[in-house]
PDB file of all heavy atoms in Angstrom:
ATOM      1  N   ALA A   1     179.288  91.466 100.455  1.00 94.00           N
ATOM      2  CA  ALA A   1     180.543  92.228 100.344  1.00 94.00           C
ATOM      3  C   ALA A   1     180.547  93.223  99.188  1.00 94.00           C
ATOM      4  O   ALA A   1     181.134  94.296  99.295  1.00 94.00           O
ATOM      5  CB  ALA A   1     181.732  91.267 100.217  1.00 94.00           C
ATOM      6  N   GLY A   2     179.900  92.917  98.088  1.00 92.00           N
ATOM      7  CA  GLY A   2     179.921  93.787  96.920  1.00 92.00           C
ATOM      8  C   GLY A   2     178.892  94.899  96.917  1.00 92.00           C
ATOM      9  O   GLY A   2     178.784  95.638  95.938  1.00 92.00           O
ATOM     10  N   PHE A   3     178.153  95.036  98.002  1.00 91.00           N
ATOM     11  CA  PHE A   3     177.068  96.015  98.017  1.00 91.00           C
ATOM     12  C   PHE A   3     177.329  97.217  98.913  1.00 91.00           C
ATOM     13  O   PHE A   3     176.421  97.956  99.257  1.00 91.00           O
ATOM     14  CB  PHE A   3     175.759  95.340  98.425  1.00 91.00           C
ATOM     15  CG  PHE A   3     175.339  94.262  97.472  1.00 91.00           C
ATOM     16  CD1 PHE A   3     175.504  92.933  97.799  1.00 91.00           C
ATOM     17  CD2 PHE A   3     174.812  94.583  96.233  1.00 91.00           C
ATOM     18  CE1 PHE A   3     175.130  91.930  96.917  1.00 91.00           C
ATOM     19  CE2 PHE A   3     174.439  93.596  95.346  1.00 91.00           C
ATOM     20  CZ  PHE A   3     174.596  92.264  95.686  1.00 91.00           C
ATOM     21  N   GLY A   4     178.578  97.427  99.284  1.00 85.00           N
ATOM     22  CA  GLY A   4     178.916  98.606 100.074  1.00 85.00           C
ATOM     23  C   GLY A   4     178.961  99.832  99.193  1.00 85.00           C
ATOM     24  O   GLY A   4     179.059  99.735  97.971  1.00 85.00           O
ATOM     25  N   ALA A   5     178.887 100.984  99.782  1.00 82.00           N
ATOM     26  CA  ALA A   5     178.920 102.267  99.058  1.00 82.00           C
ATOM     27  C   ALA A   5     177.863 102.307  97.969  1.00 82.00           C
ATOM     28  O   ALA A   5     178.075 102.835  96.891  1.00 82.00           O
ATOM     29  CB  ALA A   5     180.312 102.537  98.493  1.00 82.00           C
ATOM     30  N   GLY A   6     176.718 101.758  98.258  1.00 77.00           N
ATOM     31  CA  GLY A   6     175.616 101.790  97.305  1.00 77.00           C
ATOM     32  C   GLY A   6     175.986 101.191  95.974  1.00 77.00           C
ATOM     33  O   GLY A   6     176.306 101.885  95.035  1.00 77.00           O
ATOM     34  N   MET A   7     176.035  99.907  95.908  1.00 72.00           N
ATOM     35  CA  MET A   7     176.427  99.152  94.713  1.00 72.00           C
ATOM     36  C   MET A   7     176.728 100.056  93.522  1.00 72.00           C
ATOM     37  O   MET A   7     175.887 100.825  93.097  1.00 72.00           O
ATOM     38  CB  MET A   7     175.327  98.171  94.343  1.00 72.00           C
ATOM     39  CG  MET A   7     175.747  97.176  93.298  1.00 72.00           C
ATOM     40  SD  MET A   7     174.472  95.937  93.091  1.00 72.00           S
ATOM     41  CE  MET A   7     173.851  96.405  91.507  1.00 72.00           C
ATOM     42  N   GLY A   8     177.914  99.963  93.012  1.00 67.00           N
ATOM     43  CA  GLY A   8     178.321 100.823  91.909  1.00 67.00           C
ATOM     44  C   GLY A   8     179.021 102.068  92.399  1.00 67.00           C
ATOM     45  O   GLY A   8     179.079 103.074  91.713  1.00 67.00           O
ATOM     46  N   THR A   9     179.543 102.013  93.597  1.00 72.00           N
ATOM     47  CA  THR A   9     180.248 103.129  94.217  1.00 72.00           C
ATOM     48  C   THR A   9     179.375 104.377  94.279  1.00 72.00           C
ATOM     49  O   THR A   9     179.632 105.378  93.626  1.00 72.00           O
ATOM     50  CB  THR A   9     181.585 103.401  93.507  1.00 72.00           C
ATOM     51  OG1 THR A   9     182.215 102.153  93.227  1.00 72.00           O
ATOM     52  CG2 THR A   9     182.512 104.203  94.369  1.00 72.00           C
ATOM     53  N   MET A  10     178.343 104.279  95.051  1.00 73.00           N
ATOM     54  CA  MET A  10     177.400 105.351  95.370  1.00 73.00           C
ATOM     55  C   MET A  10     176.402 105.670  94.264  1.00 73.00           C
ATOM     56  O   MET A  10     175.614 106.586  94.399  1.00 73.00           O
ATOM     57  CB  MET A  10     178.118 106.626  95.806  1.00 73.00           C
ATOM     58  CG  MET A  10     178.886 106.477  97.065  1.00 73.00           C
ATOM     59  SD  MET A  10     179.415 108.083  97.661  1.00 73.00           S
ATOM     60  CE  MET A  10     180.088 107.605  99.229  1.00 73.00           C
ATOM     61  N   GLU A  11     176.395 104.924  93.205  1.00 77.00           N
ATOM     62  CA  GLU A  11     175.501 105.224  92.094  1.00 77.00           C
ATOM     63  C   GLU A  11     174.131 104.555  92.218  1.00 77.00           C
ATOM     64  O   GLU A  11     173.230 104.893  91.476  1.00 77.00           O
ATOM     65  CB  GLU A  11     176.144 104.796  90.769  1.00 77.00           C
ATOM     66  CG  GLU A  11     177.303 105.670  90.365  1.00 77.00           C
ATOM     67  CD  GLU A  11     176.891 107.112  90.095  1.00 77.00           C
ATOM     68  OE1 GLU A  11     175.820 107.356  89.507  1.00 77.00           O
ATOM     69  OE2 GLU A  11     177.651 108.010  90.509  1.00 77.00           O
ATOM     70  N   ALA A  12     173.993 103.604  93.123  1.00 86.00           N
ATOM     71  CA  ALA A  12     172.749 102.839  93.161  1.00 86.00           C
ATOM     72  C   ALA A  12     172.209 102.743  94.585  1.00 86.00           C
ATOM     73  O   ALA A  12     172.597 103.504  95.466  1.00 86.00           O
ATOM     74  CB  ALA A  12     172.977 101.465  92.551  1.00 86.00           C
ATOM     75  N   THR A  13     171.335 101.792  94.794  1.00 92.00           N
ATOM     76  CA  THR A  13     170.631 101.615  96.059  1.00 92.00           C
ATOM     77  C   THR A  13     171.593 101.478  97.233  1.00 92.00           C
ATOM     78  O   THR A  13     172.602 100.780  97.147  1.00 92.00           O
ATOM     79  CB  THR A  13     169.734 100.362  95.979  1.00 92.00           C
ATOM     80  OG1 THR A  13     168.866 100.512  94.856  1.00 92.00           O
ATOM     81  CG2 THR A  13     168.902 100.186  97.222  1.00 92.00           C
ATOM     82  N   CYS A  14     171.258 102.132  98.325  1.00 95.00           N
ATOM     83  CA  CYS A  14     172.039 102.069  99.557  1.00 95.00           C
ATOM     84  C   CYS A  14     172.295 100.618  99.946  1.00 95.00           C
ATOM     85  O   CYS A  14     171.394  99.777  99.908  1.00 95.00           O
ATOM     86  CB  CYS A  14     171.259 102.777 100.661  1.00 95.00           C
ATOM     87  SG  CYS A  14     171.944 102.578 102.317  1.00 95.00           S
ATOM     88  N   GLY A  15     173.530 100.340 100.335  1.00 95.00           N
ATOM     89  CA  GLY A  15     173.902  98.991 100.730  1.00 95.00           C
ATOM     90  C   GLY A  15     173.081  98.464 101.897  1.00 95.00           C
ATOM     91  O   GLY A  15     172.772  97.275 101.955  1.00 95.00           O
ATOM     92  N   ALA A  16     172.729  99.318 102.843  1.00 96.00           N
ATOM     93  CA  ALA A  16     171.924  98.876 103.982  1.00 96.00           C
ATOM     94  C   ALA A  16     170.574  98.341 103.515  1.00 96.00           C
ATOM     95  O   ALA A  16     170.095  97.318 104.014  1.00 96.00           O
ATOM     96  CB  ALA A  16     171.726 100.020 104.973  1.00 96.00           C
ATOM     97  N   LEU A  17     169.991  98.989 102.539  1.00 96.00           N
ATOM     98  CA  LEU A  17     168.710  98.545 101.989  1.00 96.00           C
ATOM     99  C   LEU A  17     168.877  97.245 101.207  1.00 96.00           C
ATOM    100  O   LEU A  17     168.041  96.344 101.295  1.00 96.00           O
ATOM    101  CB  LEU A  17     168.101  99.645 101.117  1.00 96.00           C
ATOM    102  CG  LEU A  17     166.716  99.412 100.559  1.00 96.00           C
ATOM    103  CD1 LEU A  17     165.705  99.060 101.638  1.00 96.00           C
ATOM    104  CD2 LEU A  17     166.256 100.646  99.799  1.00 96.00           C
ATOM    105  N   VAL A  18     169.971  97.113 100.480  1.00 96.00           N
ATOM    106  CA  VAL A  18     170.253  95.859  99.769  1.00 96.00           C
ATOM    107  C   VAL A  18     170.424  94.721 100.780  1.00 96.00           C
ATOM    108  O   VAL A  18     169.851  93.638 100.619  1.00 96.00           O
ATOM    109  CB  VAL A  18     171.501  95.989  98.871  1.00 96.00           C
ATOM    110  CG1 VAL A  18     171.885  94.646  98.283  1.00 96.00           C
ATOM    111  CG2 VAL A  18     171.265  97.001  97.769  1.00 96.00           C
ATOM    112  N   GLY A  19     171.209  94.974 101.830  1.00 96.00           N
ATOM    113  CA  GLY A  19     171.445  93.944 102.843  1.00 96.00           C
ATOM    114  C   GLY A  19     170.173  93.462 103.503  1.00 96.00           C
ATOM    115  O   GLY A  19     169.956  92.257 103.671  1.00 96.00           O
ATOM    116  N   VAL A  20     169.300  94.392 103.845  1.00 97.00           N
ATOM    117  CA  VAL A  20     168.052  94.008 104.512  1.00 97.00           C
ATOM    118  C   VAL A  20     167.116  93.283 103.543  1.00 97.00           C
ATOM    119  O   VAL A  20     166.386  92.377 103.941  1.00 97.00           O
ATOM    120  CB  VAL A  20     167.390  95.225 105.206  1.00 97.00           C
ATOM    121  CG1 VAL A  20     166.639  96.110 104.250  1.00 97.00           C
ATOM    122  CG2 VAL A  20     166.505  94.790 106.343  1.00 97.00           C
ATOM    123  N   SER A  21     167.181  93.624 102.267  1.00 96.00           N
ATOM    124  CA  SER A  21     166.361  92.918 101.271  1.00 96.00           C
ATOM    125  C   SER A  21     166.850  91.488 101.072  1.00 96.00           C
ATOM    126  O   SER A  21     166.043  90.574 100.880  1.00 96.00           O
ATOM    127  CB  SER A  21     166.370  93.673  99.947  1.00 96.00           C
ATOM    128  OG  SER A  21     165.723  94.919 100.101  1.00 96.00           O
ATOM    129  N   ILE A  22     168.158  91.291 101.142  1.00 96.00           N
ATOM    130  CA  ILE A  22     168.711  89.932 101.049  1.00 96.00           C
ATOM    131  C   ILE A  22     168.234  89.104 102.241  1.00 96.00           C
ATOM    132  O   ILE A  22     167.788  87.959 102.075  1.00 96.00           O
ATOM    133  CB  ILE A  22     170.253  89.977 100.967  1.00 96.00           C
ATOM    134  CG1 ILE A  22     170.678  90.513  99.600  1.00 96.00           C
ATOM    135  CG2 ILE A  22     170.861  88.603 101.238  1.00 96.00           C
ATOM    136  CD1 ILE A  22     172.141  90.848  99.470  1.00 96.00           C
ATOM    137  N   VAL A  23     168.294  89.662 103.426  1.00 97.00           N
ATOM    138  CA  VAL A  23     167.820  88.952 104.615  1.00 97.00           C
ATOM    139  C   VAL A  23     166.325  88.653 104.488  1.00 97.00           C
ATOM    140  O   VAL A  23     165.870  87.550 104.822  1.00 97.00           O
ATOM    141  CB  VAL A  23     168.127  89.740 105.903  1.00 97.00           C
ATOM    142  CG1 VAL A  23     167.446  89.110 107.120  1.00 97.00           C
ATOM    143  CG2 VAL A  23     169.635  89.815 106.122  1.00 97.00           C
ATOM    144  N   ALA A  24     165.552  89.593 103.979  1.00 96.00           N
ATOM    145  CA  ALA A  24     164.110  89.369 103.791  1.00 96.00           C
ATOM    146  C   ALA A  24     163.872  88.198 102.842  1.00 96.00           C
ATOM    147  O   ALA A  24     162.993  87.365 103.093  1.00 96.00           O
ATOM    148  CB  ALA A  24     163.438  90.632 103.261  1.00 96.00           C
ATOM    149  N   GLY A  25     164.645  88.130 101.772  1.00 96.00           N
ATOM    150  CA  GLY A  25     164.504  87.010 100.837  1.00 96.00           C
ATOM    151  C   GLY A  25     164.819  85.680 101.484  1.00 96.00           C
ATOM    152  O   GLY A  25     164.131  84.674 101.241  1.00 96.00           O
ATOM    153  N   LEU A  26     165.844  85.659 102.316  1.00 96.00           N
ATOM    154  CA  LEU A  26     166.195  84.431 103.023  1.00 96.00           C
ATOM    155  C   LEU A  26     165.126  84.061 104.047  1.00 96.00           C
ATOM    156  O   LEU A  26     164.741  82.899 104.175  1.00 96.00           O
ATOM    157  CB  LEU A  26     167.560  84.583 103.701  1.00 96.00           C
ATOM    158  CG  LEU A  26     168.746  84.688 102.750  1.00 96.00           C
ATOM    159  CD1 LEU A  26     169.985  85.175 103.501  1.00 96.00           C
ATOM    160  CD2 LEU A  26     169.011  83.362 102.061  1.00 96.00           C
ATOM    161  N   LYS A  27     164.634  85.059 104.767  1.00 95.00           N
ATOM    162  CA  LYS A  27     163.621  84.824 105.799  1.00 95.00           C
ATOM    163  C   LYS A  27     162.316  84.301 105.196  1.00 95.00           C
ATOM    164  O   LYS A  27     161.687  83.403 105.744  1.00 95.00           O
ATOM    165  CB  LYS A  27     163.356  86.135 106.555  1.00 95.00           C
ATOM    166  CG  LYS A  27     162.240  86.090 107.564  1.00 95.00           C
ATOM    167  CD  LYS A  27     162.639  85.395 108.812  1.00 95.00           C
ATOM    168  CE  LYS A  27     161.539  85.523 109.864  1.00 95.00           C
ATOM    169  NZ  LYS A  27     161.928  84.951 111.120  1.00 95.00           N
ATOM    170  N   THR A  28     161.922  84.852 104.060  1.00 94.00           N
ATOM    171  CA  THR A  28     160.654  84.465 103.437  1.00 94.00           C
ATOM    172  C   THR A  28     160.813  83.320 102.445  1.00 94.00           C
ATOM    173  O   THR A  28     159.833  82.911 101.828  1.00 94.00           O
ATOM    174  CB  THR A  28     160.024  85.662 102.698  1.00 94.00           C
ATOM    175  OG1 THR A  28     160.905  86.070 101.642  1.00 94.00           O
ATOM    176  CG2 THR A  28     159.742  86.818 103.641  1.00 94.00           C
ATOM    177  N   GLU A  29     162.052  82.833 102.302  1.00 94.00           N
ATOM    178  CA  GLU A  29     162.360  81.778 101.341  1.00 94.00           C
ATOM    179  C   GLU A  29     161.881  82.154  99.941  1.00 94.00           C
ATOM    180  O   GLU A  29     161.416  81.320  99.173  1.00 94.00           O
ATOM    181  CB  GLU A  29     161.786  80.440 101.794  1.00 94.00           C
ATOM    182  CG  GLU A  29     162.378  79.967 103.105  1.00 94.00           C
ATOM    183  CD  GLU A  29     161.839  78.646 103.603  1.00 94.00           C
ATOM    184  OE1 GLU A  29     160.762  78.202 103.142  1.00 94.00           O
ATOM    185  OE2 GLU A  29     162.509  78.060 104.466  1.00 94.00           O
ATOM    186  N   GLY A  30     161.964  83.437  99.636  1.00 91.00           N
ATOM    187  CA  GLY A  30     161.603  83.928  98.309  1.00 91.00           C
ATOM    188  C   GLY A  30     160.119  84.085  98.058  1.00 91.00           C
ATOM    189  O   GLY A  30     159.723  84.515  96.981  1.00 91.00           O
ATOM    190  N   LYS A  31     159.296  83.773  99.022  1.00 93.00           N
ATOM    191  CA  LYS A  31     157.841  83.865  98.847  1.00 93.00           C
ATOM    192  C   LYS A  31     157.371  85.267  99.229  1.00 93.00           C
ATOM    193  O   LYS A  31     157.420  85.646 100.390  1.00 93.00           O
ATOM    194  CB  LYS A  31     157.145  82.808  99.688  1.00 93.00           C
ATOM    195  CG  LYS A  31     157.476  81.396  99.250  1.00 93.00           C
ATOM    196  CD  LYS A  31     156.884  80.379 100.197  1.00 93.00           C
ATOM    197  CE  LYS A  31     157.223  78.974  99.783  1.00 93.00           C
ATOM    198  NZ  LYS A  31     158.587  78.584 100.131  1.00 93.00           N
ATOM    199  N   GLY A  32     156.933  86.026  98.245  1.00 91.00           N
ATOM    200  CA  GLY A  32     156.446  87.373  98.497  1.00 91.00           C
ATOM    201  C   GLY A  32     157.551  88.385  98.746  1.00 91.00           C
ATOM    202  O   GLY A  32     157.284  89.500  99.204  1.00 91.00           O
ATOM    203  N   THR A  33     158.774  88.005  98.431  1.00 91.00           N
ATOM    204  CA  THR A  33     159.903  88.868  98.754  1.00 91.00           C
ATOM    205  C   THR A  33     159.869  90.182  97.992  1.00 91.00           C
ATOM    206  O   THR A  33     160.246  91.226  98.537  1.00 91.00           O
ATOM    207  CB  THR A  33     161.238  88.140  98.500  1.00 91.00           C
ATOM    208  OG1 THR A  33     161.218  86.900  99.215  1.00 91.00           O
ATOM    209  CG2 THR A  33     162.411  88.966  98.982  1.00 91.00           C
ATOM    210  N   MET A  34     159.406  90.174  96.761  1.00 92.00           N
ATOM    211  CA  MET A  34     159.352  91.435  96.005  1.00 92.00           C
ATOM    212  C   MET A  34     158.435  92.441  96.679  1.00 92.00           C
ATOM    213  O   MET A  34     158.768  93.618  96.781  1.00 92.00           O
ATOM    214  CB  MET A  34     158.941  91.180  94.557  1.00 92.00           C
ATOM    215  CG  MET A  34     160.061  90.524  93.763  1.00 92.00           C
ATOM    216  SD  MET A  34     159.689  90.299  92.029  1.00 92.00           S
ATOM    217  CE  MET A  34     159.552  91.976  91.474  1.00 92.00           C
ATOM    218  N   ALA A  35     157.302  91.986  97.166  1.00 94.00           N
ATOM    219  CA  ALA A  35     156.382  92.887  97.871  1.00 94.00           C
ATOM    220  C   ALA A  35     157.020  93.383  99.164  1.00 94.00           C
ATOM    221  O   ALA A  35     156.913  94.570  99.511  1.00 94.00           O
ATOM    222  CB  ALA A  35     155.062  92.183  98.163  1.00 94.00           C
ATOM    223  N   HIS A  36     157.700  92.494  99.878  1.00 94.00           N
ATOM    224  CA  HIS A  36     158.395  92.912 101.101  1.00 94.00           C
ATOM    225  C   HIS A  36     159.485  93.919 100.777  1.00 94.00           C
ATOM    226  O   HIS A  36     159.659  94.912 101.488  1.00 94.00           O
ATOM    227  CB  HIS A  36     159.000  91.710 101.824  1.00 94.00           C
ATOM    228  CG  HIS A  36     158.002  90.834 102.484  1.00 94.00           C
ATOM    229  ND1 HIS A  36     157.147  91.272 103.465  1.00 94.00           N
ATOM    230  CD2 HIS A  36     157.722  89.524 102.311  1.00 94.00           C
ATOM    231  CE1 HIS A  36     156.385  90.277 103.867  1.00 94.00           C
ATOM    232  NE2 HIS A  36     156.709  89.203 103.178  1.00 94.00           N
ATOM    233  N   SER A  37     160.222  93.672  99.703  1.00 94.00           N
ATOM    234  CA  SER A  37     161.304  94.597  99.324  1.00 94.00           C
ATOM    235  C   SER A  37     160.748  95.977  99.005  1.00 94.00           C
ATOM    236  O   SER A  37     161.352  96.990  99.350  1.00 94.00           O
ATOM    237  CB  SER A  37     162.092  94.049  98.135  1.00 94.00           C
ATOM    238  OG  SER A  37     162.846  92.937  98.526  1.00 94.00           O
ATOM    239  N   ARG A  38     159.621  96.019  98.356  1.00 96.00           N
ATOM    240  CA  ARG A  38     158.983  97.301  98.049  1.00 96.00           C
ATOM    241  C   ARG A  38     158.614  98.039  99.338  1.00 96.00           C
ATOM    242  O   ARG A  38     158.855  99.238  99.485  1.00 96.00           O
ATOM    243  CB  ARG A  38     157.743  97.076  97.174  1.00 96.00           C
ATOM    244  CG  ARG A  38     156.954  98.319  96.869  1.00 96.00           C
ATOM    245  CD  ARG A  38     157.645  99.175  95.861  1.00 96.00           C
ATOM    246  NE  ARG A  38     156.800 100.323  95.540  1.00 96.00           N
ATOM    247  CZ  ARG A  38     157.266 101.433  95.057  1.00 96.00           C
ATOM    248  NH1 ARG A  38     158.541 101.560  94.788  1.00 96.00           N
ATOM    249  NH2 ARG A  38     156.461 102.431  94.793  1.00 96.00           N
ATOM    250  N   LYS A  39     158.031  97.312 100.286  1.00 96.00           N
ATOM    251  CA  LYS A  39     157.660  97.921 101.567  1.00 96.00           C
ATOM    252  C   LYS A  39     158.900  98.377 102.331  1.00 96.00           C
ATOM    253  O   LYS A  39     158.892  99.443 102.954  1.00 96.00           O
ATOM    254  CB  LYS A  39     156.839  96.941 102.404  1.00 96.00           C
ATOM    255  CG  LYS A  39     155.451  96.703 101.849  1.00 96.00           C
ATOM    256  CD  LYS A  39     154.709  95.680 102.661  1.00 96.00           C
ATOM    257  CE  LYS A  39     153.350  95.388 102.058  1.00 96.00           C
ATOM    258  NZ  LYS A  39     152.631  94.338 102.801  1.00 96.00           N
ATOM    259  N   LEU A  40     159.958  97.573 102.284  1.00 96.00           N
ATOM    260  CA  LEU A  40     161.211  97.963 102.930  1.00 96.00           C
ATOM    261  C   LEU A  40     161.751  99.244 102.314  1.00 96.00           C
ATOM    262  O   LEU A  40     162.184 100.154 103.019  1.00 96.00           O
ATOM    263  CB  LEU A  40     162.244  96.842 102.813  1.00 96.00           C
ATOM    264  CG  LEU A  40     162.013  95.625 103.688  1.00 96.00           C
ATOM    265  CD1 LEU A  40     162.897  94.474 103.241  1.00 96.00           C
ATOM    266  CD2 LEU A  40     162.237  95.961 105.149  1.00 96.00           C
ATOM    267  N   LEU A  41     161.723  99.311 100.989  1.00 97.00           N
ATOM    268  CA  LEU A  41     162.217 100.497 100.283  1.00 97.00           C
ATOM    269  C   LEU A  41     161.416 101.733 100.679  1.00 97.00           C
ATOM    270  O   LEU A  41     162.001 102.776 100.985  1.00 97.00           O
ATOM    271  CB  LEU A  41     162.135 100.266  98.773  1.00 97.00           C
ATOM    272  CG  LEU A  41     162.619 101.417  97.918  1.00 97.00           C
ATOM    273  CD1 LEU A  41     163.465 100.891  96.763  1.00 97.00           C
ATOM    274  CD2 LEU A  41     161.462 102.236  97.393  1.00 97.00           C
ATOM    275  N   LEU A  42     160.108 101.630 100.700  1.00 97.00           N
ATOM    276  CA  LEU A  42     159.270 102.780 101.049  1.00 97.00           C
ATOM    277  C   LEU A  42     159.481 103.199 102.501  1.00 97.00           C
ATOM    278  O   LEU A  42     159.571 104.396 102.802  1.00 97.00           O
ATOM    279  CB  LEU A  42     157.799 102.464 100.778  1.00 97.00           C
ATOM    280  CG  LEU A  42     157.430 102.273  99.307  1.00 97.00           C
ATOM    281  CD1 LEU A  42     155.994 101.782  99.175  1.00 97.00           C
ATOM    282  CD2 LEU A  42     157.657 103.543  98.507  1.00 97.00           C
ATOM    283  N   ASN A  43     159.577 102.232 103.394  1.00 97.00           N
ATOM    284  CA  ASN A  43     159.815 102.519 104.806  1.00 97.00           C
ATOM    285  C   ASN A  43     161.175 103.196 104.981  1.00 97.00           C
ATOM    286  O   ASN A  43     161.286 104.219 105.659  1.00 97.00           O
ATOM    287  CB  ASN A  43     159.743 101.209 105.605  1.00 97.00           C
ATOM    288  CG  ASN A  43     159.810 101.402 107.104  1.00 97.00           C
ATOM    289  OD1 ASN A  43     160.676 102.096 107.621  1.00 97.00           O
ATOM    290  ND2 ASN A  43     158.904 100.749 107.815  1.00 97.00           N
ATOM    291  N   PHE A  44     162.198 102.650 104.336  1.00 98.00           N
ATOM    292  CA  PHE A  44     163.545 103.209 104.410  1.00 98.00           C
ATOM    293  C   PHE A  44     163.570 104.628 103.842  1.00 98.00           C
ATOM    294  O   PHE A  44     164.158 105.531 104.442  1.00 98.00           O
ATOM    295  CB  PHE A  44     164.507 102.292 103.640  1.00 98.00           C
ATOM    296  CG  PHE A  44     165.941 102.720 103.691  1.00 98.00           C
ATOM    297  CD1 PHE A  44     166.759 102.285 104.715  1.00 98.00           C
ATOM    298  CD2 PHE A  44     166.479 103.526 102.705  1.00 98.00           C
ATOM    299  CE1 PHE A  44     168.101 102.657 104.762  1.00 98.00           C
ATOM    300  CE2 PHE A  44     167.805 103.906 102.734  1.00 98.00           C
ATOM    301  CZ  PHE A  44     168.621 103.475 103.774  1.00 98.00           C
TER     302      PHE A  44
END
């Protein structure tokens, strides 16, 4: 809920990218999530 309008009211990372990174962390149970988040960011 707090990540809409790019956390910080448009000042930071797009909420869609934050949301997908949260799901990635849950899916991977935190294992390798930073590397996945980096790939998600580059792809996005």
Side-chain angles (χ1 to χ4, degrees):
F3 298 104
M7 191 172 108
T9 318
M10 296 191 173
E11 289 296 321
T13 304
C14 171
L17 185 54
V18 173
V20 79
S21 294
I22 289 169
V23 171
L26 292 166
K27 174 76 173 184
T28 63
E29 298 180 342
K31 296 174 181 78
T33 306
M34 287 184 65
H36 288 300
S37 290
R38 176 74 176 157
K39 290 177 183 177
L40 287 166
L41 180 137
L42 293 172
N43 187 311
F44 183 88

